[in-house]
Amino acid sequence: MQEKQAFKMNGYVGIIVSLILIGLAAFLVVSMDSYGAALAVPILLGIVALLILSGITIVQPNEAKVLTLFGTYVGVIREQGLWVAIPLTIKSRVSLRVINFNSEKLKVNDLEGNPIEIAAVVVYKVSDSAKATFDVEDYEEFVQIQSETGIRHIASQYAYDHFDKDTDMSLRKNSDEIADFLAQDLQSRLSVAGVDVMEARIMHLAYSSEVASAMLQRQQAQAVLSARKVIVDGAVGLVKSAIEQLADEGVVELDDDKKAQMVNNLMVAIVSEKGSQPVINTGSIH
């Protein structure tokens, strides 16, 4: 059901007109010498005044009033202020303010089957008050349930982390991209309720308790291996530079065996985690 504007007029004018009609009706009743058919006129004026007053409604900033008349949708009033709408209508309030929804921590299996805990914050607002009122039973509850469904869906499409595939997307490394995908997924789910998703972002992400210890050890091992690789790559470059510099400057002539021995000693000295103890040769280097 699409939103449409309802008939309305200035509420202050409506109140003044109603008071005038009530006053006129009272004056006619008081001025009558006898009550009879003439009494119908003040009664009619009083009914008209009451009908006008029944249409009085106040619309607060950033809210809408959805009007129904005997079960029929007649329109929406969005402008703030005091208004006179169609008499005898039921006026339902719908907030147009921005709303934050924090999901519960959900336990989900990621793409690789690892159990993880995930939660997200969803920022949304109602854009179509008619859909929010008539197309779903309770749009706030609908947003909560569909948001949790979307979070579970996104979490199952990606791995928590990729230890050996840096090019693949993961929940931990690509939080901005995942947030965009989550917002798009939620928008497609919530459009039926007339809701616009402004932002959706993961606010909690962790391995479940039963695998957290093992995954922490895996992360630590991966970090150690990565650090070792950097150290070894740097050590190879240093050793190569040292041998080339010695050869270019003619400091000493090294055969293949001496080069291999020198490479071995330098690599051990550079790569070793503990400080190396130098051995001083007081005799011939040969």
Side-chain angles (χ1 to χ4, degrees), residues 99-173:
I99 302 174
N100 280 326
F101 164 64
N102 297 323
S103 72
E104 299 291 336
K105 293 181 181 178
L106 307 175
K107 190 173 181 180
V108 190
N109 289 336
D110 68 357
L111 182 63
E112 297 180 349
N114 299 316
I116 62 174
E117 293 180 352
I118 186 171
V121 58
V122 180
V123 183
Y124 70 95
K125 65 181 297 185
V126 175
S127 60
D128 192 317
S129 53
K131 286 185 176 181
T133 303
F134 300 114
D135 288 358
V136 293
E137 185 68 25
D138 185 336
Y139 77 89
E140 291 184 344
E141 182 181 359
F142 184 81
V143 169
Q144 295 179 8
I145 295 175
Q146 291 301 318
S147 295
E148 293 182 357
T149 303
I151 294 168
R152 290 181 181 275
H153 173 72
I154 290 296
S156 64
Q157 299 300 306
Y158 300 93
Y160 176 93
D161 200 356
H162 287 294
F163 297 96
D164 52 357
K165 299 177 181 178
D166 293 336
T167 57
D168 292 345
M169 292 186 62
S170 65
L171 297 173
R172 186 180 69 86
K173 292 182 180 179

Side-chain angles (χ1 to χ4, degrees), residues 201-253:
R201 186 169 296 275
I202 295 175
M203 66 175 184
H204 173 78
L205 182 64
Y207 283 110
S208 296
S209 57
E210 59 266 26
V211 298
S213 178
M215 289 302 176
L216 178 59
Q217 293 179 358
R218 182 179 179 182
Q219 289 178 343
Q220 291 174 342
Q222 185 69 23
V224 170
L225 290 175
S226 299
R228 283 292 182 185
K229 184 178 185 302
V230 174
I231 294 173
V232 171
D233 291 343
V236 170
L238 290 174
V239 171
K240 180 181 178 182
S241 176
I243 293 176
E244 291 177 351
Q245 187 174 356
L246 289 174
D248 293 340
E249 296 181 2
V251 177
V252 62
E253 293 184 3

Side-chain angles (χ1 to χ4, degrees), residues 228 231-232 235-236 238-239 260-279:
R228 283 292 182 185
I231 294 173
V232 171
V236 170
L238 290 174
V239 171
Q261 184 179 356
M262 182 177 181
V263 169
N264 179 70
N265 293 338
L266 288 174
M267 290 294 293
V268 170
I270 296 173
V271 176
S272 177
E273 293 184 357
K274 298 180 179 180
S276 57
Q277 299 295 328
V279 177

Side-chain angles (χ1 to χ4, degrees), residues 23-37:
L24 182 59
F27 173 77
L28 292 176
V29 171
V30 171
S31 62
M32 286 181 181
D33 295 333
S34 62
Y35 301 105

Side-chain angles (χ1 to χ4, degrees), residues 40-85:
V41 175
I43 292 176
L44 181 61
L45 293 177
I47 292 175
V48 172
L50 291 177
L51 287 175
I52 294 175
L53 290 176
S54 70
I56 294 291
T57 184
I58 298 175
V59 181
Q60 300 291 342
N62 277 332
E63 77 170 24
K65 289 292 182 69
V66 180
L67 278 58
T68 55
L69 179 62
F70 303 123
T72 302
Y73 167 63
V74 295
V76 175
I77 300 177
R78 277 178 169 262
E79 291 81 2
Q80 65 184 23
L82 181 65
W83 302 101
V84 176

